[in-house]
Amino acid sequence: MTTAAAREAVVVGGGLAGTAAALALADAGVRVTLLEGRPRLGGLAFSFQRGGLTVDNGQHVYLRCCTAYRWFLDRVDGAALAPVQDRLDVPVLDAGRGRLGRLRRNALPVPFHLGPSLARYPHLSLAEKAAVGRAALALRRLDPADPALDRQDFGSWLRRHGQSPRAVAALWDLVGVATLNAAADDASLALAAKVFRTGLLSDAGAADIGWAHVPLGELHHTRALTSLDKAGVRTVLRARVRGVTPGGEGARWQVETGDETLTADTVVLAVPPAETHELLPGGALDEPEKLTRIGTAPIINIHVLYDRKVVRRPFFTALDGPVQWVFDRTEASGLDHGQYLALSQSTAQAEIDMPRRRPARPLPAGAGAAAARRPHRPRRGLLRHPRTHRDLRGGPRRRRPAARPRHPPARPAPRRGMDRHRLARHHGGRRTQRAERRLGRPRGARPAPARPRLRRGRVSRPPRAAPPRP
């Protein structure tokens, strides 16, 4: 698309994809109008206020190889607020055994940058480590663009290459679930090959992790809106688009909202697939009904407030438990005492509709062991995202329609979507002493004694916590 062929553009959707598209078009000299139905920008990577704290709707991270998002951060002057690790360094806790390992890289080139870390990785046997190395070399030889890979699942491929269930859980799913929101048996081999080749087998620093040290709303709404204004983009919030129709003369398009009808040379749809299906004019796609078959996969985020610091690391990931990642969000949320932890549980299809009175799943061992023995339970909130990510199980390319060349102006831009979220309270379970020493309370320190409670004129002691699991 050239500026001569598209002097005016309308972008529908103010999430990350829509905002980035509007900025790129404005930088190319196009007059842009950005329409967003919500009262804010940022799509599903947003923040809200709860009890005096700024809460992100979920923990979001990115990698050094995510060049499009890094461009967006640079464009909105937010790169310094979401820095990337100097080198990949991920603490990995075995919640069942209370054993802590690390995945980190060194300065060696690919594939040797992870070799020393893998050799010392305590969650795999020597034979499993050797098999992982052979599978990684075989994965590096795959072509993610091969259509045949899209008809295979990643789990079957791993088993054919000698990967044990423990190796899949302790290494491959550690990365795959976080990036694809799907376990190996449910993930497309083509997408898994793309993730692992790009993140771990292309460049030594590609998998270095970055995350926002400020609320997501500061980056994706406040700074993005400022950058859009400076670029001359007209941003309209609370503008629900009702239809996109051909304009007739000059192949222009008409975009109808509740308040106005806009005319543009180009329309970019940066909305979820179901909304795209409703807005696309006839003939814009071959087999547009495929848009309605693109599924979603839920994520649950657990927000925990403690009255003391229980985890000293900025983040860690856990094995043998439902919660995969734990991040310290104390400073970003504005909490002035205690600690705020955000725990993320992907592939939560079985728990997303669990009743409010029951916990979604217990917290990982060590994520608050000292607080588990306090007389008062920590405050916890469960944030459910039923349609947070697209379903990336085997064969997503076959479920995605192809665009017709004769209608290039109207094309969908991908965006991860969620239509609702629900907040519920729940309570957690047991913690282990060993994980506590590694992640929170210093070795040898004694927990604070429980205070007596007054109950109908008599003094009673709170019941003791259950003994830690071995």
Side-chain angles (χ1 to χ4, degrees), residues 371-445:
R373 290 191 290 274
R374 299 191 296 103
H376 301 291
R377 289 172 175 172
R379 290 184 292 163
R380 296 173 187 158
L382 177 66
L383 198 59
R384 312 185 189 204
H385 311 291
R387 289 178 285 276
T388 300
H389 291 278
R390 301 277 74 81
D391 187 353
L392 299 181
R393 288 177 286 188
R397 290 177 183 165
R398 289 173 290 161
R399 301 197 299 269
R400 187 172 60 234
R404 285 178 178 268
R406 67 172 180 271
H407 288 287
R411 61 176 183 264
R415 189 185 75 168
R416 294 178 285 190
M418 177 194 72
D419 298 327
R420 62 189 175 94
H421 67 269
R422 291 173 290 177
L423 191 64
R425 293 193 178 276
H426 73 99
H427 304 288
R430 300 176 180 176
R431 310 290 183 263
T432 64
Q433 291 179 344
R434 175 181 294 180
E436 178 192 355
R437 289 198 301 266
R438 289 180 178 273
L439 294 171
R441 181 167 57 87
R443 184 182 299 272

Side-chain angles (χ1 to χ4, degrees), residues 226-244:
T226 301
S227 298
L228 290 168
D229 292 341
K230 291 180 178 179
V233 176
R234 179 190 173 218
T235 304
V236 185
L237 303 178
R238 302 181 187 272
R240 184 72 62 179
V241 176
R242 298 182 176 180
V244 178

Side-chain angles (χ1 to χ4, degrees), residues 154 168-169 171-184 187 191-192 195-196 200 325 346-347 392:
F154 189 39
V168 173
L171 188 63
W172 299 104
D173 271 353
L174 189 70
V175 178
V177 169
T179 53
L180 299 173
N181 195 20
L191 294 178
V195 166
F196 282 92
L200 296 176
W325 293 83
S346 300
T347 62
L392 299 181

Side-chain angles (χ1 to χ4, degrees), residues 301-320:
N301 285 277
I302 306 170
H303 300 259
V304 191
L305 298 180
Y306 293 105
D307 66 353
R308 66 191 69 183
K309 188 176 181 66
V310 297
V311 173
R312 66 173 177 264
R313 304 178 188 276
F315 75 94
F316 68 93
T317 184
L319 306 176
D320 293 339

Side-chain angles (χ1 to χ4, degrees), residues 83-392:
V84 183
Q85 293 175 317
D86 293 333
R87 291 185 181 180
L88 175 69
D89 188 358
V90 181
V92 183
L93 170 69
D94 187 330
R97 304 174 185 176
R99 191 173 186 182
L100 185 68
R102 306 183 80 90
L103 287 175
R104 65 178 87 183
R105 74 171 179 90
N106 54 28
L108 295 176
V110 174
F112 307 105
H113 61 309
L114 295 174
S117 175
L118 183 61
R120 295 189 296 268
Y121 193 54
H123 307 311
L124 297 178
S125 67
L126 184 60
E128 289 171 331
K129 295 174 184 176
V132 164
R134 292 191 294 270
L137 294 177
L139 191 64
R140 195 180 184 187
R141 293 191 292 268
L142 295 180
D143 180 10
D146 184 357
L149 300 186
D150 203 39
R151 295 188 289 270
Q152 305 177 47
D153 66 88
F154 189 39
S156 299
W157 186 91
L158 289 174
R159 285 188 290 273
R160 290 197 303 269
H161 287 78
Q163 301 305 290
S164 67
R166 178 63 180 174
V168 173
L171 188 63
W172 299 104
D173 271 353
L174 189 70
V175 178
V177 169
T179 53
L180 299 173
N181 195 20
D185 286 336
D186 296 326
S188 160
L189 176 57
L191 294 178
K194 174 67 174 178
V195 166
F196 282 92
R197 281 171 51 94
T198 303
L200 296 176
L201 301 173
S202 62
D203 181 79
D208 299 343
I209 298 176
W211 68 95
H213 292 191
V214 297
L216 293 175
E218 170 66 22
L219 296 172
H220 302 156
H221 173 74
T222 305
R223 288 180 176 262
L225 187 59
T226 301
S227 298
L228 290 168
D229 292 341
K230 291 180 178 179
V233 176
R234 179 190 173 218
T235 304
V236 185
L237 303 178
R238 302 181 187 272
R240 184 72 62 179
V241 176
R242 298 182 176 180
V244 178
T245 57
E249 298 180 4
R252 292 170 66 85
W253 299 89
Q254 291 185 342
V255 181
E256 300 178 5
T257 69
D259 300 325
E260 60 180 329
T261 299
L262 302 174
T263 302
D265 302 283
T266 294
V267 177
V268 178
L269 298 181
V271 293
E275 296 180 31
T276 299
H277 180 264
E278 295 177 358
L279 295 176
L280 278 176
L285 292 178
D286 290 323
E287 301 179 293
E289 65 278 359
K290 284 188 174 182
L291 287 169
T292 63
R293 300 186 213 148
I294 299 177
T296 55
I299 290 178
I300 289 178
N301 285 277
I302 306 170
H303 300 259
V304 191
L305 298 180
Y306 293 105
D307 66 353
R308 66 191 69 183
K309 188 176 181 66
V310 297
V311 173
R312 66 173 177 264
R313 304 178 188 276
F315 75 94
F316 68 93
T317 184
L319 306 176
D320 293 339
V323 176
Q324 292 95 16
W325 293 83
V326 179
F327 276 79
D328 183 359
R329 301 298 296 170
T330 306
E331 183 177 353
S333 67
L335 186 67
D336 56 4
H337 65 280
Q339 191 171 33
Y340 177 164
L341 299 181
L343 304 93
S344 181
Q345 174 191 340
S346 300
T347 62
Q349 288 87 343
E351 292 79 14
I352 193 63
D353 291 321
M354 186 172 289
R356 176 176 298 198
R357 64 180 178 272
R358 296 176 57 193
R361 280 182 180 178
L363 302 176
R373 290 191 290 274
R374 299 191 296 103
H376 301 291
R377 289 172 175 172
R379 290 184 292 163
R380 296 173 187 158
L382 177 66
L383 198 59
R384 312 185 189 204
H385 311 291
R387 289 178 285 276
T388 300
H389 291 278
R390 301 277 74 81
D391 187 353
L392 299 181

